[in-house]
Amino acid sequence: MKIAFISSEVYPYAKTGGLADVSYSITKALAKAGHDVCIFMPGYHSIDKNKFHVKLAIAPLIIEAGTEKNYAAILESSYIPGVKTYFINYERYFTRDGLYGECDTEYKDNAERFNFFAKAVIRSFKKINFMPDIIHCNDWHTGLIPLYLKTIYNNDTFFKKSALIMTVHNAGYQGIFSKDNLQPDAFYNSAFGRKETEHSEVINFLKEGVIHSDIITTVSKKYANEIQTQEFGYAMADIFKRIKKNLYAVPNAIDNDNWDPETDHYLTYNFSADDISQKMKCKLELQKKIGIAANESIPLLGTISRITFQKGMDILADTLELLFQDENFQFVISGSGDKRITRRYDYLKKMFPQSVGINWMYSEELEHLTLAGLDIFIMPSRYEPCGLTHMYSLKYGTVPIVRATGGLDDVIKEWNERKGTGNGFKFNNLNQEELYNILRKVIKKYKEKDKWKLIRKNGMNFNYSWNEAVKEYEKIYKLVLK
Ligand code: ADP
Ligand code: GLC
């Protein structure tokens, strides 16, 4: 099959979260399975042109926006094995420090930026002569592509046999903008000329993507149900309910090339489920690197996360402050995001300098060492479409505590003392009391060495790779092509 995968971030070119990891792993696995795969993404300023051997792909395209003419440079790289990546660049929109915003503030022209991106992607297909069987879009940033293809390009023979898939990685971000954010032109009219949006003053990019795609997927079974409720689907809950017979769940998986403690090249000390002895050295190295007391026996708890409301990091900070009064443990956090929340952790660090380690920089290397060095991983998300770090932590022998939502609930099986089964711990309600109780319970459990070894071993046996997950996508592609 000829598959075009369109995403606003792709590892290793540009990443803020799991979407980048997933975009990389799916396309690599599809290419390995023999498909002709290409990626389209914005040509952000931060992409390392030398490292990834980025070069010009074709002559620039003229993209109309209202009465203006803008130029899209189309660049390419073959850094991902078997996958050609096309970068859509236009200085005015993508020569900036951030992907979506800077310093906790979204760029004001995001609607225009991703509208431009959508038009340029569609126009590129013909220029590079890639006639796709599958156009696989991801999240709100790509939402206008299905809209335009199903409206103004509806009778274009070039796209006659192309099927449209939209994967919802996060319905908490829908790309909702006022109509005034887009310049009126033929594209704009296709979006607003229809009856159902006629009276609406807003455009919802994700909604456009969903209602104009042939099949919708999301990234865990539980989240596929959750988004049909107001609590998780927000303004789109009714739409997800309405299209549910075309809504499929393909859970995210682990990329064993990058996430295996036995072969991880970021680690000085490698280990496996059969021989975990070197994990302790990772713990000591992490304590040293992040500036807390080196101590083998103290429970080391931590997380790596975007620091946002979604991730429950606000409540976690308050709960830790209480817990430090009652328990002897250490805590490490790595992430970036909302300054109102990171400040709470800075305060904790001041209070407990030998016990709290903080890193507010984006660092792949530290991310791997943190997963390997921690004893306990905490993910108290308000919602979590799938999540990747709880799966990574399982593989790295770091026992996860998660809130029972989305992909966290699907993957983590509660430890059962009597049967010796389970790979982690779960709690239901995100409040200080429940979080405090579960953290305390797990810190105590850590001290029961034999039981802890078993929980850890159960987790390290977790084995769900992208080669399997991609078979699910292949089934969906075949189904939609019928
Ligand atoms: P989300 O996509 O909602 O952020 P996921 O769990 O799916 O959550 O994926 C998050 C990815 O981003 C993981 O690979 C995680 O380790 C990585 N990540 C988040 N923050 C940082 C950071 N500060 N440094 C390095 N990696 C990070
Ligand atoms: C989103 C979700 C996360 C998911 C990731 C990749 O950012 O928040 O749960 O794992 O996308 O699908």
Side-chain angles (χ1 to χ4, degrees):
M1 275 181 263
K2 280 173 103 74
I3 302 162
F5 193 91
I6 307 157
S7 176
S8 62
E9 53 183 89
V10 182
Y11 174 88
Y13 304 119
K15 169 171 165 179
T16 68
L19 174 61
D21 289 15
V22 167
S23 301
Y24 163 76
S25 304
I26 293 180
T27 49
K28 191 178 59 159
L30 284 169
K32 202 167 139 200
H35 300 288
D36 185 358
V37 188
C38 71
I39 295 175
F40 287 90
M41 68 178 286
Y44 303 110
H45 180 55
S46 56
I47 296 168
D48 189 334
K49 313 284 181 306
N50 287 331
K51 181 173 176 192
F52 303 125
H53 306 292
V54 176
K55 56 178 198 219
L56 211 60
I58 46 170
L61 304 176
I62 296 175
I63 306 295
E64 288 86 9
T67 52
E68 277 175 32
K69 282 193 168 85
N70 299 325
Y71 289 86
I74 316 295
L75 308 167
E76 64 174 53
S77 163
S78 300
Y79 192 83
I80 300 176
V83 182
K84 180 77 66 77
T85 300
Y86 294 100
F87 305 97
I88 310 282
N89 194 20
Y90 179 41
E91 258 189 50
R92 195 170 105 201
Y93 290 142
F94 298 115
T95 304
R96 302 180 183 184
D97 288 343
L99 269 55
Y100 316 117
E102 283 165 52
C103 308
D104 288 347
T105 312
E106 301 277 291
Y107 292 131
K108 290 205 165 49
D109 56 352
N110 272 344
E112 263 312 323
R113 295 171 79 223
F114 289 100
N115 184 29
F116 171 85
F117 176 64
K119 293 178 192 177
V121 168
I122 296 175
R123 296 278 299 281
S124 303
F125 282 118
K126 288 184 192 172
K127 295 283 178 192
I128 61 168
N129 197 24
F130 190 90
M131 200 183 262
D133 299 303
I134 299 292
I135 299 178
H136 190 153
C137 295
N138 295 275
D139 274 355
W140 75 262
H141 320 89
T142 61
L144 297 190
I145 294 171
L147 165 71
Y148 295 150
L149 286 172
K150 285 284 169 72
T151 51
I152 58 176
Y153 285 88
N154 203 26
N155 296 319
D156 192 320
T157 49
F158 191 88
F159 296 109
K160 206 83 214 144
K161 64 181 180 80
S162 307
L164 285 162
I165 316 287
M166 168 59 77
T167 296
V168 179
H169 296 265
N170 198 330
Y173 299 83
Q174 300 187 357
I176 301 176
F177 302 96
S178 144
K179 265 172 139 179
D180 307 335
N181 283 308
L182 296 179
Q183 309 195 45
D185 59 11
F187 287 87
Y188 175 95
N189 292 336
S190 77
F192 293 110
R194 289 169 299 125
K195 260 211 183 103
E196 67 183 277
T197 47
E198 216 163 38
H199 303 295
S200 170
E201 285 309 308
V202 296
I203 179 160
N204 178 325
F205 277 47
L206 184 65
K207 176 179 150 197
E208 297 300 336
V210 165
I211 62 182
H212 291 97
S213 290
D214 301 304
I215 280 191
I216 317 306
T217 73
T218 186
V219 287
S220 71
K221 290 200 168 67
K222 183 151 185 184
Y223 194 60
N225 290 323
E226 286 174 337
I227 54 175
Q228 297 175 46
T229 66
Q230 203 67 40
E231 188 185 347
F232 298 94
Y234 307 97
M236 286 183 62
D238 288 342
I239 292 171
F240 288 124
K241 224 189 266 169
R242 199 171 81 206
I243 54 105
K244 79 171 179 214
K245 71 173 194 328
N246 290 326
L247 176 63
Y248 292 78
V250 183
N252 290 336
I254 285 198
D255 191 322
N256 288 318
D257 297 343
N258 287 355
W259 298 100
D260 182 347
E262 206 172 348
T263 53
D264 192 325
H265 62 269
Y266 285 112
L267 300 182
T268 319
Y269 308 101
N270 292 100
F271 57 90
S272 67
D274 296 330
D275 178 8
I276 200 168
S277 55
Q278 301 285 80
K279 185 172 164 70
M280 187 55 81
K281 290 194 180 151
C282 295
K283 177 171 177 176
L284 292 169
E285 193 183 337
L286 173 63
Q287 288 167 326
K288 205 167 142 206
K289 272 214 169 125
I290 203 127
I292 54 178
N295 181 333
E296 290 191 359
S297 58
I298 194 167
L300 179 56
L301 173 75
T303 195
I304 306 161
S305 179
R306 286 184 295 114
I307 311 295
T308 61
F309 179 78
Q310 172 192 346
K311 303 290 180 179
M313 291 295 147
D314 44 344
I315 294 200
L316 179 63
D318 296 344
T319 311
L320 289 170
E321 194 181 340
L322 289 179
L323 199 64
F324 272 119
Q325 325 289 334
D326 304 329
E327 289 289 339
N328 188 23
F329 69 103
Q330 292 176 327
F331 177 77
V332 164
I333 184 164
S334 223
S336 44
D338 195 329
K339 297 278 178 303
R340 285 163 305 183
I341 305 177
T342 55
R343 271 201 288 274
R344 299 198 203 181
Y345 289 94
D346 291 333
Y347 167 76
L348 272 186
K349 171 81 188 163
K350 247 196 209 140
M351 301 270 294
F352 311 101
Q354 285 303 307
S355 307
V356 176
I358 283 177
N359 162 53
W360 298 140
M361 302 291 286
Y362 184 88
S363 160
E364 288 280 328
E365 192 182 340
L366 193 60
E367 179 189 8
H368 286 247
L369 177 63
T370 305
L371 284 158
L374 294 177
D375 297 308
I376 304 164
F377 194 82
I378 170 78
M379 220 164 156
S381 305
R382 286 194 166 77
Y383 71 92
E384 197 60 68
C386 181
L388 297 170
T389 39
H390 61 306
M391 295 194 273
Y392 300 155
S393 82
L394 286 175
K395 285 263 325 198
Y396 283 68
T398 298
V399 175
I401 305 175
V402 301
R403 174 151 183 257
T405 181
L408 304 180
D409 198 23
D410 287 351
V411 168
I412 303 308
K413 309 287 172 228
E414 181 75 20
W415 163 247
N416 181 316
E417 191 98 6
R418 201 169 44 81
K419 296 186 187 154
T421 57
N423 56 15
F425 297 86
K426 300 198 253 199
F427 66 102
N428 285 314
N429 301 303
L430 185 58
N431 56 50
Q432 269 196 32
E433 198 186 338
E434 269 195 46
L435 194 49
Y436 175 92
N437 288 340
I438 188 108
L439 287 169
R440 210 162 177 199
K441 175 175 131 179
V442 178
I443 286 172
K444 290 202 183 333
K445 190 59 64 192
Y446 171 78
K447 292 169 192 150
E448 298 180 42
K449 289 293 164 213
D450 289 341
K451 286 179 189 150
W452 193 259
K453 272 188 195 152
L454 187 55
I455 307 170
R456 205 166 56 182
K457 186 139 193 162
N458 290 347
M460 291 183 87
N461 287 332
F462 177 80
N463 205 3
Y464 173 59
S465 79
W466 278 107
N467 295 336
E468 288 164 69
V470 144
K471 288 193 185 118
E472 296 303 308
Y473 280 114
E474 282 178 315
K475 275 191 213 155
I476 289 171
Y477 294 161
K478 283 182 191 148
L479 182 79
V480 71
L481 286 175
K482 269 193 203 160

